[in-house]
Amino acid sequence: MKRYLTATFASLHTRNYRLYFIGQSVSLAGTWMQKMAQAWLVLELTNSGAWLGITLAAQQLPVLLLAPWGGLLADRMSKRNILIVTATAAMIPSLLLGVLTLSHHINVALVLGLALLGGLIDALDKPARQSFPSEMVSAPHLANAVMLNNIIQDTGKVVGPAVAGILIAAVGLPYTFFLNALSFLAVVAGLLLMRPGELAVPDPVARGAGQLRAGLAYVRNTPKLFVPLALLASVGLVAYNFQLLLALLGRETFHGDARTVGYLLGALGAGSVIGGLALAGLLQATIGRIVGAALVLAVLLLATGLSPTLAVAFGLVFTLGAGSVLFKSLASTWLQLTAAPEMRGRVLALLVVAIGGTTPIGAPMMGWVAEQVGTRATFVLAGVLTAIAGAVAYVCLRRTVAASDDLHHSSLSRAR
């Protein structure tokens, strides 16, 4: 047991990563608290799943459009310095949202504008944050660090929405936004306390023409990167809209209040945390496991859509969280280990686009589908489309492996 626990938390033996882990844990709990509160605010203002989808789209639109440039910036500059600046800037939209809500001057247009501003900051923050672990820990511990990163994110899903639901019911929406603004101070403090000399910083990429196109061409010409990214984008488009889908499941399907939605999002996060902890010391990324995890996620989406009661839905959403973190962690680890160091920021920027940047298209689309056919049918559709994407990825990767084998055998024959 002691050996298993040591493997599970191996990355935390590194001081810089430990500081990063603590700061992100606090901040991401606040972020998920605000996400749930913002979703509830939009539903109160509009009573519309489509408007909620549009709000999520506004928050992710800059990620879709600008994250590749954020990745290039992460390859050119200190990732630590980028994260200090973005964490400081992220306090501004949270404070403004809190003040406007408290003073009763809030409307859906202002929510959309502040969501867009937050998305702009995210577009610069996420590529650096996704690729930063490779500088803090050694290669043998990278898979563990990536899994723990996902656990940080998903711990926030447990704590944040549950606290937000309680705060909304007890004292009102504005205080969730104020607390999120304060949470960014933990990130800044952790980054400032790091020892820069202990970071394995790659040589920065010098400025030059065509570097963004070079990154895209590198991924396009590397099937072992392109196919997993395409699979992530396909799943992100239809499935990784949990804020929307679970808000509608709790409010419309099971006729719950803010606490119901918060607890559903909390169950998703709890499943992610427990599943991540169970696998953190054991996980090894392979292409086959990535595809298999996508198919598991598809089955869980189908089952959640068909859940007969709220109690069953809680159990299935918990399992869905475990399946979600498994898929994302395997794919993220694979991409970080496969990408060349000088391309890592740009490759991880495409990971950010694949998971979150697809929301501007996927969230309004799934919100509209939910209004037309109901939330249950939307979950089922997401499961079916995820399964199809996994099957297509499997076929493409089999052809890639077969072509590589043929090339290898041909080279051996010529050598003889």
Side-chain angles (χ1 to χ4, degrees), residues 139-340:
H141 290 153
L142 183 57
N144 178 256
V146 170
M147 177 59 85
L148 291 180
N149 266 9
N150 282 289
I151 290 172
I152 294 171
Q153 174 81 19
D154 296 315
T155 300
K157 294 179 187 177
V158 179
V159 177
V163 172
I166 293 169
L167 280 177
I168 292 168
V171 296
L173 277 165
Y175 300 97
T176 59
F177 305 128
F178 291 137
L179 281 176
N180 180 47
L182 289 174
S183 73
F184 289 107
L185 294 175
V187 177
V188 176
L191 291 165
L192 290 175
L193 288 170
M194 285 183 179
R195 296 170 181 162
E198 295 178 6
L199 296 172
V201 182
D203 293 334
V205 174
R207 290 178 178 273
Q211 290 176 327
L212 185 60
R213 290 194 302 273
L216 295 173
Y218 170 68
V219 170
R220 186 178 63 248
N221 296 323
T222 310
K224 288 184 179 180
L225 293 174
F226 179 77
V227 175
L229 278 168
L231 176 58
L232 278 164
S234 301
V235 175
L237 189 67
V238 299
Y240 279 126
N241 296 295
F242 291 127
Q243 281 177 264
L244 168 74
L245 294 173
L246 294 181
L248 292 174
L249 187 70
R251 192 172 190 267
E252 306 297 333
T253 303
F254 293 111
H255 311 293
D257 58 12
R259 283 172 293 187
T260 306
V261 176
Y263 294 152
L264 280 169
L265 287 168
L268 182 80
S272 301
V273 170
I274 293 172
L277 287 172
L279 295 167
L282 307 171
L283 193 65
Q284 295 297 323
T286 67
I287 287 293
R289 289 176 182 175
I290 293 170
V291 173
L295 296 177
V296 168
L297 186 63
V299 171
L300 292 171
L301 285 164
L302 284 165
T304 302
L306 299 173
S307 55
T309 66
L310 181 59
V312 173
F314 275 121
L316 287 169
V317 169
F318 176 89
T319 311
L320 185 63
S324 172
V325 75
L326 175 64
F327 176 58
K328 285 193 296 184
S329 297
L330 285 169
S332 179
T333 301
W334 175 264
L335 292 171
Q336 292 210 45
L337 290 172
T338 305

Side-chain angles (χ1 to χ4, degrees), residues 1-10 13 281:
M1 175 61 74
K2 183 178 179 181
R3 183 180 298 176
Y4 174 76
L5 290 175
T6 300
T8 299
F9 299 103
H13 293 294

